[in-house]
Amino acid sequence: MTPATRMGLSIAAAVSLYGLSFGALSVASGLTLWQTVALSALLFSGGSQFAFIGILAAGGSGGAALGASTLLSARNTIYAVQMKAMFDPSGWRRWVSAQLTIDESAANAMSQTDPEERRRGFWVTGLGVYVGWNLATVVGALLGDFVAEPEALGLDGAVVAAFLGLLWPRLRSREPWALAVVAALVTVLTMPMLPAGVPVLLAAVVAAAWGLVTRGRSGGAESTRTRKEHEEVRP
């Protein structure tokens, strides 16, 4: 078993467990079994799915839930550009790889140095998480049907806990922490004044603006550094 395969299977086993929480919480939020299954099969983006059902559970509209989940899924577009540069899939592989492009599959692929291992890491992780997540969703949704009062078991707060569980491993530097604090403040301060779901959308807009500003700064710094290096080399 190659390193990429071993890592991919480990990631799939760990991430898929959250599908149990999603399935149970989705049914508790008012979605049917088939709506829950379709959401995992078609959207297939853990953080976006939890945001979707979290807004619905809080009384938000379907439009607000869809908007928030769409904004959170936008990061996969960046991954898709990177994966296309690595593999350039064609035919049916292009459509399948688009569905399997998530944080975990992209991370495993980019962490490998050998081109073949990169490809193997992407496919093993993507397929493993997809199958495991959807199977766990079905089990969780079926178990959720037997819970008469989700609030009595604390499932209304479990949406936040599960979402944080997916987010926590990604907060490895100061900038993500700072962004998380700012987004949380925006959400908390606007919740009393705006309808359910809208504060999350507003926080997502703030996060997107943050990303554009910091990327512009880093790009400018890189250009300045490159220019200085050329000037030093120039006779």
Side-chain angles (χ1 to χ4, degrees), residues 14-182:
V15 174
S16 296
L17 293 177
Y18 286 103
L20 292 170
S21 297
F22 173 75
L25 295 170
S26 179
V27 172
S29 299
L31 272 67
T32 66
L33 170 64
W34 293 112
Q35 287 173 331
T36 298
V37 171
L39 196 58
S40 275
L42 300 177
L43 179 55
F44 186 51
S45 181
S48 301
Q49 291 178 226
F50 278 110
F52 186 91
I53 64 173
I55 291 175
L56 291 181
S61 65
L66 179 61
S69 62
T70 300
L71 286 173
L72 287 172
S73 297
R75 70 191 186 281
N76 292 335
T77 304
I78 301 175
Y79 299 148
V81 174
Q82 296 172 311
M83 295 302 100
K84 187 178 188 305
M86 284 185 183
F87 316 130
D88 193 22
S90 59
W92 63 269
R93 290 183 178 85
R94 182 177 183 181
W95 299 101
V96 176
S97 61
Q99 180 68 357
L100 299 180
T101 300
I102 54 176
D103 297 334
E104 292 77 13
S105 60
N108 192 5
M110 290 185 289
S111 67
Q112 309 300 325
T113 55
D114 180 69
E116 189 62 31
E117 279 291 273
R118 287 180 172 178
R119 185 176 290 103
R120 185 178 292 112
F122 173 83
W123 286 105
V124 170
T125 307
L127 288 170
V129 174
Y130 187 85
V131 173
W133 179 272
N134 281 278
L135 289 176
T137 295
V138 174
V139 175
L142 291 173
L143 293 176
D145 280 335
F146 295 100
V147 180
E149 298 181 1
E151 295 81 2
L153 300 179
L155 291 182
D156 50 339
V159 174
V160 179
F163 186 84
L164 288 176
L166 291 174
L167 178 65
W168 191 267
R170 295 165 177 79
L171 301 179
R172 296 178 178 175
S173 62
R174 293 181 179 179
E175 184 174 336
W177 273 105
L179 178 56
V181 171
V182 171

